[in-house]
Amino acid sequence: MFSKRLWMKESRSVWWIVIILVLGFLYAQTGGLYSDAKDWQMQYDYFQSDEFQEQQRADGDGKMTPEQVKTSLTLSHFTTGFPEDTFSTQYTMSRSYFALSILVVILGLAMVSWERYTRKDHFSLAAPFKRSSMIGVKLLLGCLSITVAYGISLWLGLRHLFLVIPSDFIDLDMQKVYLGLLGNLSTFLLLFVLAVFVGTIMGELLATVITLLVITVMPRYVYTVWFILMQLLYPDTSSDKFANWTSYANVFVIFGNSEFEYGPFILQLVLLVLFGVGSVFFYKRYSIENNGKVLAFSYLRIPCAILVSFGGAILVANFWFNDGQTELPSMMTFLIILAGSFIGCLVICYMVLYRNTWVRR
């Protein structure tokens, strides 16, 4: 794992993705925070301008008090969507974060799946390196690249932001800061390691991409369907009384921990370790003869079929129930849609995994 040749080999195969990733982080975080600093300065200058003073006089009793002016300029968190009247950064709502999520997934796919698709793994596995060392370097290289790019871009942006905003206008809730910013980093790392893990158990690139979509999208829809089920079981109970699992359902979403709780962050770390260990376990046992198959390991057919069918049933049910319906369905309709969707998806999985020539022994 500490071989310089091995690190050079892995770096050469993904250097262009890493460069794009670094530039993406600089644009999204450094550029976004620079823009927020400019917005704060413009807002501050407006409150000091004659135009604002004239507006205050015109408003009479409805004018802003000095405390309200200071509150509107005070930075207390780094994410939008809160009801407070404090200054709110906008960089977190940028669409570039969605692009960054895709980039880290592409980085993970390039580590394993793309090698198999182009048959470069024939040369890699013939190299004088242990498989555990190879997958370990892939994981470390990707995680280090993401962490360094995330950390440097965030530091540059925050450094400029704090230089522009005086300390009198900074009142940060440190729990929100740590869980928000560290949670973002863990989300990026989780998406990367997940892409590597799925790539180790799938032998075909298209199947890998589809599986990744199902896994990352499914938790949010599981929560939606669960919420509908709770409303059907307890129709007389207010929806506010149900447990809010939104942050847990958004473990694959940037700033998904909207409640800033420790539980979702710990869940991300646990999944990160499990997917990392699973990547090493399956990569050591992979055979290049399985390249081009949907699944690289035949004993994973049934678990994968059940997982994909469950995800498909959840997605179909969610779209069915939210397709312009203003009222909840009956319990019987709910169960029929779920069961029918699950069985239908299971039949499709059977046709793909057991009838397709890709997986015939």
Side-chain angles (χ1 to χ4, degrees):
M1 184 179 294
F2 300 101
S3 172
K4 181 180 177 180
R5 291 177 56 196
L6 179 57
W7 280 85
M8 292 294 293
K9 168 189 172 298
E10 298 297 339
S11 300
R12 282 195 298 267
S13 61
V14 296
W15 65 269
W16 59 276
I17 304 178
V18 173
I19 291 177
I20 296 175
L21 191 64
V22 171
L23 295 176
F25 273 113
L26 289 173
Y27 174 79
Q29 299 200 134
T30 306
L33 287 168
Y34 266 66
S35 177
D36 285 333
K38 182 180 178 181
D39 291 340
W40 186 93
Q41 188 64 56
M42 291 176 60
Q43 188 172 338
Y44 178 81
D45 292 340
Y46 171 72
F47 286 135
Q48 305 300 317
S49 66
D50 295 335
E51 179 184 355
F52 176 70
Q53 299 303 326
E54 293 178 0
Q55 182 66 38
Q56 287 282 83
R57 287 191 291 268
D59 290 340
D61 295 337
K63 66 181 181 180
M64 295 179 66
T65 64
E67 291 76 15
Q68 289 175 326
V69 171
K70 183 177 180 180
T71 299
S72 65
L73 291 171
T74 300
L75 175 67
S76 60
H77 46 72
F78 290 104
T79 180
T80 58
F82 288 87
E84 298 99 336
D85 296 326
T86 56
F87 176 77
S88 182
T89 54
Q90 299 295 321
Y91 83 100
T92 59
M93 301 300 289
S94 173
R95 294 180 181 177
S96 54
Y97 268 81
F98 179 72
L100 286 173
S101 301
I102 296 178
L103 277 177
V104 297
V105 170
I106 292 176
L107 179 62
L109 291 174
M111 292 289 187
V112 178
S113 297
W114 186 251
E115 273 197 350
R116 291 174 178 172
Y117 181 75
T118 58
R119 298 299 189 267
K120 289 183 179 180
D121 58 338
H122 289 69
F123 300 97
S124 297
L125 297 178
F129 304 112
K130 293 182 179 179
R131 288 197 177 189
S132 57
S133 298
M134 294 176 65
I135 188 62
V137 169
K138 291 176 185 292
L139 291 171
L140 287 175
L141 178 62
C143 290
L144 285 175
S145 299
I146 295 171
T147 303
V148 171
Y150 180 88
I152 291 178
S153 61
L154 186 62
W155 176 77
L156 290 173
L158 291 178
R159 180 176 178 272
H160 178 73
L161 186 69
F162 291 146
L163 287 175
V164 173
I165 302 178
S167 59
D168 293 342
F169 295 97
I170 298 177
D171 184 22
L172 293 174
D173 186 331
M174 297 312 297
Q175 178 176 334
K176 292 182 179 180
V177 172
Y178 292 139
L179 289 179
L181 300 183
L182 291 178
N184 272 0
L185 175 60
S186 64
T187 303
F188 285 123
L189 295 176
L190 180 59
L191 288 172
F192 163 74
V193 177
L194 174 64
V196 175
F197 169 74
V198 175
T200 60
I201 64 175
M202 311 296 290
E204 206 273 330
L205 183 59
L206 180 60
T208 302
V209 174
I210 294 175
T211 304
L212 282 172
L213 287 174
V214 172
I215 294 176
T216 54
V217 172
M218 184 175 61
R220 284 175 287 173
Y221 291 113
V222 169
Y223 175 75
T224 302
V225 174
W226 173 85
F227 193 78
I228 294 175
L229 177 61
M230 290 297 100
Q231 290 179 302
L232 292 175
L233 292 176
Y234 307 100
D236 298 329
T237 304
S238 174
S239 59
D240 298 335
K241 301 296 183 180
F242 298 139
N244 187 356
W245 302 99
T246 304
S247 297
Y248 290 90
N250 290 334
V251 291
F252 298 109
V253 180
I254 305 302
F255 273 110
N257 189 3
S258 57
E259 302 297 328
F260 296 98
E261 299 172 341
Y262 286 101
F265 178 67
I266 295 175
L267 175 60
Q268 285 183 323
L269 297 182
V270 171
L271 291 175
L272 190 62
V273 173
L274 291 178
F275 287 137
V277 173
S279 299
V280 176
F281 177 83
F282 287 110
Y283 191 84
K284 291 173 62 176
R285 289 158 177 77
Y286 184 81
S287 172
I288 57 177
E289 296 178 356
N290 292 327
N291 283 353
K293 294 183 178 180
V294 176
L295 278 172
F297 303 93
S298 58
Y299 54 82
L300 292 179
R301 290 176 180 174
I302 295 178
C304 287
I306 294 175
L307 175 63
V308 173
S309 299
F310 175 76
I314 292 296
L315 292 177
V316 171
N318 183 81
F319 293 143
W320 182 279
F321 298 142
N322 290 297
D323 187 17
Q325 294 189 22
T326 57
E327 298 181 357
L328 290 175
S330 64
M331 179 61 76
M332 183 61 67
T333 303
F334 180 85
L335 295 177
I336 289 176
I337 294 298
L338 276 180
S341 302
F342 179 81
I343 294 174
C345 292
L346 200 60
V347 170
I348 296 175
C349 288
Y350 173 80
M351 294 174 62
V352 172
L353 295 177
Y354 287 90
R355 295 297 183 183
N356 199 298
T357 56
W358 292 347
V359 292
R360 289 180 182 172
R361 297 178 180 178

